[in-house]
PDB file of all heavy atoms in Angstrom:
ATOM      1  N   GLY A   7     113.167 120.059  90.963  1.00 96.00           N
ATOM      2  CA  GLY A   7     112.428 121.290  91.200  1.00 96.00           C
ATOM      3  C   GLY A   7     113.121 122.215  92.187  1.00 96.00           C
ATOM      4  O   GLY A   7     113.815 121.774  93.107  1.00 96.00           O
ATOM      5  N   ILE A   8     112.920 123.505  91.988  1.00 97.00           N
ATOM      6  CA  ILE A   8     113.524 124.538  92.835  1.00 97.00           C
ATOM      7  C   ILE A   8     112.402 125.267  93.565  1.00 97.00           C
ATOM      8  O   ILE A   8     111.459 125.756  92.931  1.00 97.00           O
ATOM      9  CB  ILE A   8     114.340 125.538  92.009  1.00 97.00           C
ATOM     10  CG1 ILE A   8     115.432 124.808  91.217  1.00 97.00           C
ATOM     11  CG2 ILE A   8     114.945 126.617  92.899  1.00 97.00           C
ATOM     12  CD1 ILE A   8     116.144 125.696  90.213  1.00 97.00           C
ATOM     13  N   GLU A   9     112.516 125.356  94.874  1.00 95.00           N
ATOM     14  CA  GLU A   9     111.469 126.009  95.658  1.00 95.00           C
ATOM     15  C   GLU A   9     111.789 127.490  95.876  1.00 95.00           C
ATOM     16  O   GLU A   9     112.911 127.856  96.229  1.00 95.00           O
ATOM     17  CB  GLU A   9     111.300 125.326  97.018  1.00 95.00           C
ATOM     18  CG  GLU A   9     110.196 125.956  97.854  1.00 95.00           C
ATOM     19  CD  GLU A   9     109.536 124.966  98.796  1.00 95.00           C
ATOM     20  OE1 GLU A   9     110.083 123.863  98.967  1.00 95.00           O
ATOM     21  OE2 GLU A   9     108.469 125.292  99.337  1.00 95.00           O
ATOM     22  N   ILE A  10     110.767 128.321  95.643  1.00 96.00           N
ATOM     23  CA  ILE A  10     110.872 129.745  95.948  1.00 96.00           C
ATOM     24  C   ILE A  10     110.302 129.912  97.355  1.00 96.00           C
ATOM     25  O   ILE A  10     109.089 129.965  97.542  1.00 96.00           O
ATOM     26  CB  ILE A  10     110.089 130.608  94.940  1.00 96.00           C
ATOM     27  CG1 ILE A  10     110.474 130.249  93.504  1.00 96.00           C
ATOM     28  CG2 ILE A  10     110.316 132.087  95.221  1.00 96.00           C
ATOM     29  CD1 ILE A  10     111.908 130.500  93.160  1.00 96.00           C
ATOM     30  N   SER A  11     111.160 129.965  98.333  1.00 91.00           N
ATOM     31  CA  SER A  11     110.722 129.893  99.724  1.00 91.00           C
ATOM     32  C   SER A  11     110.462 131.246 100.377  1.00 91.00           C
ATOM     33  O   SER A  11     109.847 131.318 101.439  1.00 91.00           O
ATOM     34  CB  SER A  11     111.749 129.126 100.563  1.00 91.00           C
ATOM     35  OG  SER A  11     113.021 129.742 100.469  1.00 91.00           O
ATOM     36  N   SER A  12     110.919 132.318  99.764  1.00 92.00           N
ATOM     37  CA  SER A  12     110.760 133.633 100.376  1.00 92.00           C
ATOM     38  C   SER A  12     109.292 134.004 100.508  1.00 92.00           C
ATOM     39  O   SER A  12     108.494 133.814  99.579  1.00 92.00           O
ATOM     40  CB  SER A  12     111.484 134.706  99.558  1.00 92.00           C
ATOM     41  OG  SER A  12     111.243 135.990 100.104  1.00 92.00           O
ATOM     42  N   LEU A  13     108.912 134.546 101.670  1.00 89.00           N
ATOM     43  CA  LEU A  13     107.545 135.016 101.889  1.00 89.00           C
ATOM     44  C   LEU A  13     107.382 136.469 101.458  1.00 89.00           C
ATOM     45  O   LEU A  13     106.256 136.973 101.397  1.00 89.00           O
ATOM     46  CB  LEU A  13     107.170 134.870 103.373  1.00 89.00           C
ATOM     47  CG  LEU A  13     107.207 133.450 103.934  1.00 89.00           C
ATOM     48  CD1 LEU A  13     106.818 133.457 105.410  1.00 89.00           C
ATOM     49  CD2 LEU A  13     106.287 132.527 103.150  1.00 89.00           C
ATOM     50  N   ASN A  14     108.494 137.125 101.182  1.00 93.00           N
ATOM     51  CA  ASN A  14     108.448 138.499 100.704  1.00 93.00           C
ATOM     52  C   ASN A  14     108.109 138.498  99.214  1.00 93.00           C
ATOM     53  O   ASN A  14     108.818 137.879  98.408  1.00 93.00           O
ATOM     54  CB  ASN A  14     109.800 139.180 100.946  1.00 93.00           C
ATOM     55  CG  ASN A  14     109.816 140.613 100.469  1.00 93.00           C
ATOM     56  OD1 ASN A  14     109.988 140.884  99.287  1.00 93.00           O
ATOM     57  ND2 ASN A  14     109.634 141.545 101.398  1.00 93.00           N
ATOM     58  N   SER A  15     107.040 139.158  98.850  1.00 93.00           N
ATOM     59  CA  SER A  15     106.544 139.098  97.473  1.00 93.00           C
ATOM     60  C   SER A  15     107.573 139.597  96.461  1.00 93.00           C
ATOM     61  O   SER A  15     107.770 138.984  95.410  1.00 93.00           O
ATOM     62  CB  SER A  15     105.251 139.912  97.340  1.00 93.00           C
ATOM     63  OG  SER A  15     104.241 139.374  98.157  1.00 93.00           O
ATOM     64  N   ALA A  16     108.220 140.714  96.781  1.00 95.00           N
ATOM     65  CA  ALA A  16     109.190 141.281  95.844  1.00 95.00           C
ATOM     66  C   ALA A  16     110.384 140.348  95.662  1.00 95.00           C
ATOM     67  O   ALA A  16     110.855 140.135  94.534  1.00 95.00           O
ATOM     68  CB  ALA A  16     109.650 142.649  96.337  1.00 95.00           C
ATOM     69  N   GLU A  17     110.881 139.780  96.758  1.00 96.00           N
ATOM     70  CA  GLU A  17     112.000 138.848  96.673  1.00 96.00           C
ATOM     71  C   GLU A  17     111.614 137.602  95.889  1.00 96.00           C
ATOM     72  O   GLU A  17     112.375 137.125  95.036  1.00 96.00           O
ATOM     73  CB  GLU A  17     112.464 138.455  98.079  1.00 96.00           C
ATOM     74  CG  GLU A  17     113.171 139.556  98.845  1.00 96.00           C
ATOM     75  CD  GLU A  17     113.615 139.091 100.221  1.00 96.00           C
ATOM     76  OE1 GLU A  17     113.407 137.891 100.536  1.00 96.00           O
ATOM     77  OE2 GLU A  17     114.156 139.912 100.979  1.00 96.00           O
ATOM     78  N   ALA A  18     110.432 137.058  96.189  1.00 97.00           N
ATOM     79  CA  ALA A  18     109.974 135.846  95.509  1.00 97.00           C
ATOM     80  C   ALA A  18     109.792 136.093  94.018  1.00 97.00           C
ATOM     81  O   ALA A  18     110.143 135.248  93.183  1.00 97.00           O
ATOM     82  CB  ALA A  18     108.672 135.365  96.134  1.00 97.00           C
ATOM     83  N   GLU A  19     109.270 137.255  93.675  1.00 97.00           N
ATOM     84  CA  GLU A  19     109.076 137.584  92.258  1.00 97.00           C
ATOM     85  C   GLU A  19     110.415 137.708  91.544  1.00 97.00           C
ATOM     86  O   GLU A  19     110.579 137.211  90.414  1.00 97.00           O
ATOM     87  CB  GLU A  19     108.285 138.885  92.131  1.00 97.00           C
ATOM     88  CG  GLU A  19     107.984 139.258  90.684  1.00 97.00           C
ATOM     89  CD  GLU A  19     107.308 140.608  90.552  1.00 97.00           C
ATOM     90  OE1 GLU A  19     106.990 141.238  91.581  1.00 97.00           O
ATOM     91  OE2 GLU A  19     107.102 141.030  89.397  1.00 97.00           O
ATOM     92  N   ALA A  20     111.384 138.346  92.198  1.00 97.00           N
ATOM     93  CA  ALA A  20     112.708 138.512  91.587  1.00 97.00           C
ATOM     94  C   ALA A  20     113.387 137.161  91.385  1.00 97.00           C
ATOM     95  O   ALA A  20     113.989 136.902  90.328  1.00 97.00           O
ATOM     96  CB  ALA A  20     113.568 139.418  92.470  1.00 97.00           C
ATOM     97  N   GLN A  21     113.295 136.275  92.373  1.00 98.00           N
ATOM     98  CA  GLN A  21     113.876 134.939  92.249  1.00 98.00           C
ATOM     99  C   GLN A  21     113.207 134.166  91.118  1.00 98.00           C
ATOM    100  O   GLN A  21     113.871 133.478  90.334  1.00 98.00           O
ATOM    101  CB  GLN A  21     113.727 134.183  93.565  1.00 98.00           C
ATOM    102  CG  GLN A  21     114.542 134.749  94.720  1.00 98.00           C
ATOM    103  CD  GLN A  21     114.195 134.100  96.047  1.00 98.00           C
ATOM    104  OE1 GLN A  21     113.524 133.070  96.087  1.00 98.00           O
ATOM    105  NE2 GLN A  21     114.645 134.697  97.143  1.00 98.00           N
ATOM    106  N   THR A  22     111.885 134.301  91.038  1.00 98.00           N
ATOM    107  CA  THR A  22     111.136 133.597  89.992  1.00 98.00           C
ATOM    108  C   THR A  22     111.556 134.066  88.611  1.00 98.00           C
ATOM    109  O   THR A  22     111.823 133.249  87.712  1.00 98.00           O
ATOM    110  CB  THR A  22     109.624 133.823  90.184  1.00 98.00           C
ATOM    111  OG1 THR A  22     109.213 133.292  91.451  1.00 98.00           O
ATOM    112  CG2 THR A  22     108.830 133.152  89.072  1.00 98.00           C
ATOM    113  N   GLN A  23     111.618 135.381  88.412  1.00 97.00           N
ATOM    114  CA  GLN A  23     111.962 135.922  87.106  1.00 97.00           C
ATOM    115  C   GLN A  23     113.375 135.510  86.685  1.00 97.00           C
ATOM    116  O   GLN A  23     113.623 135.216  85.512  1.00 97.00           O
ATOM    117  CB  GLN A  23     111.840 137.451  87.121  1.00 97.00           C
ATOM    118  CG  GLN A  23     110.406 137.953  87.197  1.00 97.00           C
ATOM    119  CD  GLN A  23     109.567 137.465  86.034  1.00 97.00           C
ATOM    120  OE1 GLN A  23     109.993 137.492  84.878  1.00 97.00           O
ATOM    121  NE2 GLN A  23     108.364 136.975  86.328  1.00 97.00           N
ATOM    122  N   ALA A  24     114.284 135.463  87.650  1.00 98.00           N
ATOM    123  CA  ALA A  24     115.660 135.057  87.333  1.00 98.00           C
ATOM    124  C   ALA A  24     115.706 133.600  86.886  1.00 98.00           C
ATOM    125  O   ALA A  24     116.389 133.255  85.907  1.00 98.00           O
ATOM    126  CB  ALA A  24     116.554 135.276  88.555  1.00 98.00           C
ATOM    127  N   LEU A  25     114.980 132.731  87.570  1.00 98.00           N
ATOM    128  CA  LEU A  25     114.993 131.309  87.235  1.00 98.00           C
ATOM    129  C   LEU A  25     114.248 131.021  85.933  1.00 98.00           C
ATOM    130  O   LEU A  25     114.585 130.078  85.215  1.00 98.00           O
ATOM    131  CB  LEU A  25     114.383 130.500  88.384  1.00 98.00           C
ATOM    132  CG  LEU A  25     115.256 130.428  89.639  1.00 98.00           C
ATOM    133  CD1 LEU A  25     114.457 129.911  90.831  1.00 98.00           C
ATOM    134  CD2 LEU A  25     116.466 129.525  89.389  1.00 98.00           C
ATOM    135  N   LEU A  26     113.229 131.830  85.618  1.00 98.00           N
ATOM    136  CA  LEU A  26     112.474 131.621  84.382  1.00 98.00           C
ATOM    137  C   LEU A  26     113.268 132.000  83.132  1.00 98.00           C
ATOM    138  O   LEU A  26     112.812 131.752  82.012  1.00 98.00           O
ATOM    139  CB  LEU A  26     111.157 132.412  84.421  1.00 98.00           C
ATOM    140  CG  LEU A  26     110.062 131.834  85.324  1.00 98.00           C
ATOM    141  CD1 LEU A  26     108.811 132.701  85.285  1.00 98.00           C
ATOM    142  CD2 LEU A  26     109.707 130.400  84.921  1.00 98.00           C
ATOM    143  N   LYS A  27     114.452 132.577  83.329  1.00 97.00           N
ATOM    144  CA  LYS A  27     115.315 132.853  82.181  1.00 97.00           C
ATOM    145  C   LYS A  27     115.935 131.572  81.643  1.00 97.00           C
ATOM    146  O   LYS A  27     116.426 131.542  80.511  1.00 97.00           O
ATOM    147  CB  LYS A  27     116.411 133.851  82.579  1.00 97.00           C
ATOM    148  CG  LYS A  27     115.866 135.239  82.882  1.00 97.00           C
ATOM    149  CD  LYS A  27     116.981 136.189  83.304  1.00 97.00           C
ATOM    150  CE  LYS A  27     116.435 137.569  83.619  1.00 97.00           C
ATOM    151  NZ  LYS A  27     117.507 138.507  84.069  1.00 97.00           N
ATOM    152  N   GLN A  28     115.904 130.510  82.455  1.00 98.00           N
ATOM    153  CA  GLN A  28     116.387 129.217  81.991  1.00 98.00           C
ATOM    154  C   GLN A  28     115.399 128.643  80.981  1.00 98.00           C
ATOM    155  O   GLN A  28     114.192 128.882  81.053  1.00 98.00           O
ATOM    156  CB  GLN A  28     116.549 128.249  83.163  1.00 98.00           C
ATOM    157  CG  GLN A  28     117.522 128.707  84.237  1.00 98.00           C
ATOM    158  CD  GLN A  28     117.650 127.712  85.361  1.00 98.00           C
ATOM    159  OE1 GLN A  28     117.520 126.501  85.148  1.00 98.00           O
ATOM    160  NE2 GLN A  28     117.917 128.203  86.566  1.00 98.00           N
ATOM    161  N   ASP A  29     115.931 127.867  80.030  1.00 98.00           N
ATOM    162  CA  ASP A  29     115.062 127.296  79.003  1.00 98.00           C
ATOM    163  C   ASP A  29     114.169 126.199  79.578  1.00 98.00           C
ATOM    164  O   ASP A  29     113.006 126.071  79.178  1.00 98.00           O
ATOM    165  CB  ASP A  29     115.906 126.727  77.858  1.00 98.00           C
ATOM    166  CG  ASP A  29     115.055 126.380  76.651  1.00 98.00           C
ATOM    167  OD1 ASP A  29     114.338 127.271  76.155  1.00 98.00           O
ATOM    168  OD2 ASP A  29     115.100 125.214  76.213  1.00 98.00           O
ATOM    169  N   GLN A  30     114.706 125.442  80.515  1.00 98.00           N
ATOM    170  CA  GLN A  30     113.939 124.378  81.161  1.00 98.00           C
ATOM    171  C   GLN A  30     114.136 124.465  82.669  1.00 98.00           C
ATOM    172  O   GLN A  30     115.276 124.491  83.143  1.00 98.00           O
ATOM    173  CB  GLN A  30     114.373 122.999  80.659  1.00 98.00           C
ATOM    174  CG  GLN A  30     114.053 122.736  79.191  1.00 98.00           C
ATOM    175  CD  GLN A  30     114.472 121.352  78.756  1.00 98.00           C
ATOM    176  OE1 GLN A  30     115.495 120.826  79.204  1.00 98.00           O
ATOM    177  NE2 GLN A  30     113.680 120.736  77.886  1.00 98.00           N
ATOM    178  N   VAL A  31     113.032 124.488  83.406  1.00 98.00           N
ATOM    179  CA  VAL A  31     113.119 124.579  84.857  1.00 98.00           C
ATOM    180  C   VAL A  31     111.775 124.193  85.469  1.00 98.00           C
ATOM    181  O   VAL A  31     110.724 124.358  84.841  1.00 98.00           O
ATOM    182  CB  VAL A  31     113.513 126.017  85.297  1.00 98.00           C
ATOM    183  CG1 VAL A  31     112.394 127.015  85.016  1.00 98.00           C
ATOM    184  CG2 VAL A  31     113.919 126.052  86.759  1.00 98.00           C
ATOM    185  N   VAL A  32     111.822 123.634  86.674  1.00 98.00           N
ATOM    186  CA  VAL A  32     110.625 123.323  87.447  1.00 98.00           C
ATOM    187  C   VAL A  32     110.697 124.130  88.736  1.00 98.00           C
ATOM    188  O   VAL A  32     111.692 124.065  89.462  1.00 98.00           O
ATOM    189  CB  VAL A  32     110.531 121.817  87.789  1.00 98.00           C
ATOM    190  CG1 VAL A  32     109.294 121.556  88.656  1.00 98.00           C
ATOM    191  CG2 VAL A  32     110.466 120.987  86.516  1.00 98.00           C
ATOM    192  N   LEU A  33     109.644 124.883  89.013  1.00 98.00           N
ATOM    193  CA  LEU A  33     109.623 125.749  90.186  1.00 98.00           C
ATOM    194  C   LEU A  33     108.459 125.386  91.109  1.00 98.00           C
ATOM    195  O   LEU A  33     107.353 125.102  90.637  1.00 98.00           O
ATOM    196  CB  LEU A  33     109.495 127.218  89.771  1.00 98.00           C
ATOM    197  CG  LEU A  33     110.601 127.775  88.864  1.00 98.00           C
ATOM    198  CD1 LEU A  33     110.316 129.234  88.533  1.00 98.00           C
ATOM    199  CD2 LEU A  33     111.974 127.622  89.515  1.00 98.00           C
ATOM    200  N   PHE A  34     108.743 125.399  92.397  1.00 97.00           N
ATOM    201  CA  PHE A  34     107.711 125.222  93.413  1.00 97.00           C
ATOM    202  C   PHE A  34     107.414 126.586  94.048  1.00 97.00           C
ATOM    203  O   PHE A  34     108.333 127.295  94.465  1.00 97.00           O
ATOM    204  CB  PHE A  34     108.177 124.254  94.509  1.00 97.00           C
ATOM    205  CG  PHE A  34     108.610 122.900  94.013  1.00 97.00           C
ATOM    206  CD1 PHE A  34     109.695 122.251  94.578  1.00 97.00           C
ATOM    207  CD2 PHE A  34     107.941 122.268  92.976  1.00 97.00           C
ATOM    208  CE1 PHE A  34     110.111 121.007  94.134  1.00 97.00           C
ATOM    209  CE2 PHE A  34     108.339 121.021  92.505  1.00 97.00           C
ATOM    210  CZ  PHE A  34     109.429 120.391  93.091  1.00 97.00           C
ATOM    211  N   GLU A  35     106.161 126.949  94.091  1.00 96.00           N
ATOM    212  CA  GLU A  35     105.715 128.212  94.679  1.00 96.00           C
ATOM    213  C   GLU A  35     106.344 129.445  94.022  1.00 96.00           C
ATOM    214  O   GLU A  35     106.688 130.422  94.716  1.00 96.00           O
ATOM    215  CB  GLU A  35     105.987 128.238  96.184  1.00 96.00           C
ATOM    216  CG  GLU A  35     105.225 127.196  96.980  1.00 96.00           C
ATOM    217  CD  GLU A  35     103.721 127.485  97.022  1.00 96.00           C
ATOM    218  OE1 GLU A  35     103.326 128.669  96.948  1.00 96.00           O
ATOM    219  OE2 GLU A  35     102.947 126.515  97.130  1.00 96.00           O
ATOM    220  N   PRO A  36     106.485 129.465  92.692  1.00 98.00           N
ATOM    221  CA  PRO A  36     106.989 130.680  92.062  1.00 98.00           C
ATOM    222  C   PRO A  36     105.974 131.812  92.195  1.00 98.00           C
ATOM    223  O   PRO A  36     104.763 131.571  92.225  1.00 98.00           O
ATOM    224  CB  PRO A  36     107.169 130.266  90.596  1.00 98.00           C
ATOM    225  CG  PRO A  36     106.135 129.199  90.394  1.00 98.00           C
ATOM    226  CD  PRO A  36     106.121 128.434  91.690  1.00 98.00           C
ATOM    227  N   ALA A  37     106.486 133.039  92.279  1.00 98.00           N
ATOM    228  CA  ALA A  37     105.615 134.213  92.401  1.00 98.00           C
ATOM    229  C   ALA A  37     105.421 134.822  91.014  1.00 98.00           C
ATOM    230  O   ALA A  37     106.367 135.342  90.414  1.00 98.00           O
ATOM    231  CB  ALA A  37     106.233 135.221  93.356  1.00 98.00           C
ATOM    232  N   ILE A  38     104.199 134.736  90.520  1.00 98.00           N
ATOM    233  CA  ILE A  38     103.863 135.277  89.206  1.00 98.00           C
ATOM    234  C   ILE A  38     102.995 136.513  89.418  1.00 98.00           C
ATOM    235  O   ILE A  38     101.878 136.416  89.931  1.00 98.00           O
ATOM    236  CB  ILE A  38     103.108 134.243  88.347  1.00 98.00           C
ATOM    237  CG1 ILE A  38     103.881 132.917  88.268  1.00 98.00           C
ATOM    238  CG2 ILE A  38     102.835 134.806  86.956  1.00 98.00           C
ATOM    239  CD1 ILE A  38     105.240 133.028  87.617  1.00 98.00           C
ATOM    240  N   ARG A  39     103.516 137.679  89.022  1.00 97.00           N
ATOM    241  CA  ARG A  39     102.761 138.922  89.234  1.00 97.00           C
ATOM    242  C   ARG A  39     102.499 139.626  87.916  1.00 97.00           C
ATOM    243  O   ARG A  39     103.373 139.721  87.060  1.00 97.00           O
ATOM    244  CB  ARG A  39     103.517 139.868  90.163  1.00 97.00           C
ATOM    245  CG  ARG A  39     102.709 141.138  90.498  1.00 97.00           C
ATOM    246  CD  ARG A  39     103.515 142.117  91.329  1.00 97.00           C
ATOM    247  NE  ARG A  39     104.627 142.680  90.583  1.00 97.00           N
ATOM    248  CZ  ARG A  39     104.511 143.721  89.751  1.00 97.00           C
ATOM    249  NH1 ARG A  39     103.331 144.295  89.551  1.00 97.00           N
ATOM    250  NH2 ARG A  39     105.568 144.165  89.114  1.00 97.00           N
ATOM    251  N   PHE A  40     101.273 140.121  87.788  1.00 97.00           N
ATOM    252  CA  PHE A  40     100.912 140.985  86.660  1.00 97.00           C
ATOM    253  C   PHE A  40      99.998 142.072  87.213  1.00 97.00           C
ATOM    254  O   PHE A  40      98.946 141.772  87.791  1.00 97.00           O
ATOM    255  CB  PHE A  40     100.202 140.190  85.555  1.00 97.00           C
ATOM    256  CG  PHE A  40      99.780 141.044  84.385  1.00 97.00           C
ATOM    257  CD1 PHE A  40     100.713 141.463  83.453  1.00 97.00           C
ATOM    258  CD2 PHE A  40      98.454 141.443  84.235  1.00 97.00           C
ATOM    259  CE1 PHE A  40     100.336 142.265  82.382  1.00 97.00           C
ATOM    260  CE2 PHE A  40      98.075 142.231  83.161  1.00 97.00           C
ATOM    261  CZ  PHE A  40      99.012 142.643  82.230  1.00 97.00           C
ATOM    262  N   ASN A  41     100.420 143.320  87.059  1.00 95.00           N
ATOM    263  CA  ASN A  41      99.676 144.451  87.626  1.00 95.00           C
ATOM    264  C   ASN A  41      99.396 144.208  89.116  1.00 95.00           C
ATOM    265  O   ASN A  41     100.319 144.017  89.884  1.00 95.00           O
ATOM    266  CB  ASN A  41      98.396 144.712  86.835  1.00 95.00           C
ATOM    267  CG  ASN A  41      98.694 145.216  85.424  1.00 95.00           C
ATOM    268  OD1 ASN A  41      99.802 145.692  85.146  1.00 95.00           O
ATOM    269  ND2 ASN A  41      97.732 145.120  84.523  1.00 95.00           N
ATOM    270  N   ASP A  42      98.136 144.166  89.503  1.00 96.00           N
ATOM    271  CA  ASP A  42      97.782 143.997  90.915  1.00 96.00           C
ATOM    272  C   ASP A  42      97.406 142.564  91.259  1.00 96.00           C
ATOM    273  O   ASP A  42      96.761 142.318  92.283  1.00 96.00           O
ATOM    274  CB  ASP A  42      96.630 144.943  91.290  1.00 96.00           C
ATOM    275  CG  ASP A  42      97.033 146.402  91.191  1.00 96.00           C
ATOM    276  OD1 ASP A  42      98.174 146.729  91.585  1.00 96.00           O
ATOM    277  OD2 ASP A  42      96.224 147.219  90.716  1.00 96.00           O
ATOM    278  N   TYR A  43      97.795 141.616  90.416  1.00 98.00           N
ATOM    279  CA  TYR A  43      97.547 140.197  90.677  1.00 98.00           C
ATOM    280  C   TYR A  43      98.866 139.519  91.040  1.00 98.00           C
ATOM    281  O   TYR A  43      99.901 139.782  90.419  1.00 98.00           O
ATOM    282  CB  TYR A  43      96.956 139.491  89.449  1.00 98.00           C
ATOM    283  CG  TYR A  43      95.855 140.244  88.752  1.00 98.00           C
ATOM    284  CD1 TYR A  43      95.957 140.560  87.394  1.00 98.00           C
ATOM    285  CD2 TYR A  43      94.714 140.644  89.433  1.00 98.00           C
ATOM    286  CE1 TYR A  43      94.955 141.244  86.739  1.00 98.00           C
ATOM    287  CE2 TYR A  43      93.705 141.335  88.782  1.00 98.00           C
ATOM    288  CZ  TYR A  43      93.833 141.639  87.429  1.00 98.00           C
ATOM    289  OH  TYR A  43      92.830 142.325  86.791  1.00 98.00           O
ATOM    290  N   LEU A  44      98.825 138.643  92.017  1.00 98.00           N
ATOM    291  CA  LEU A  44     100.011 137.892  92.389  1.00 98.00           C
ATOM    292  C   LEU A  44      99.600 136.483  92.788  1.00 98.00           C
ATOM    293  O   LEU A  44      98.786 136.313  93.700  1.00 98.00           O
ATOM    294  CB  LEU A  44     100.738 138.551  93.565  1.00 98.00           C
ATOM    295  CG  LEU A  44     101.934 137.783  94.127  1.00 98.00           C
ATOM    296  CD1 LEU A  44     103.094 137.802  93.130  1.00 98.00           C
ATOM    297  CD2 LEU A  44     102.382 138.365  95.460  1.00 98.00           C
ATOM    298  N   VAL A  45     100.137 135.477  92.102  1.00 98.00           N
ATOM    299  CA  VAL A  45      99.814 134.090  92.440  1.00 98.00           C
ATOM    300  C   VAL A  45     101.105 133.332  92.715  1.00 98.00           C
ATOM    301  O   VAL A  45     102.129 133.564  92.072  1.00 98.00           O
ATOM    302  CB  VAL A  45      99.014 133.388  91.315  1.00 98.00           C
ATOM    303  CG1 VAL A  45      97.649 134.041  91.148  1.00 98.00           C
ATOM    304  CG2 VAL A  45      99.774 133.389  89.993  1.00 98.00           C
TER     305      VAL A  45
END
């Protein structure tokens, strides 16, 4: 697993999106944003 450690939402989202381009990956604390929602 790869941890998304950045507390900055924009940075965490960018790291998450880049890693999700892989076909198989496990992420810890990925930032998933849609409109005004962020988890």
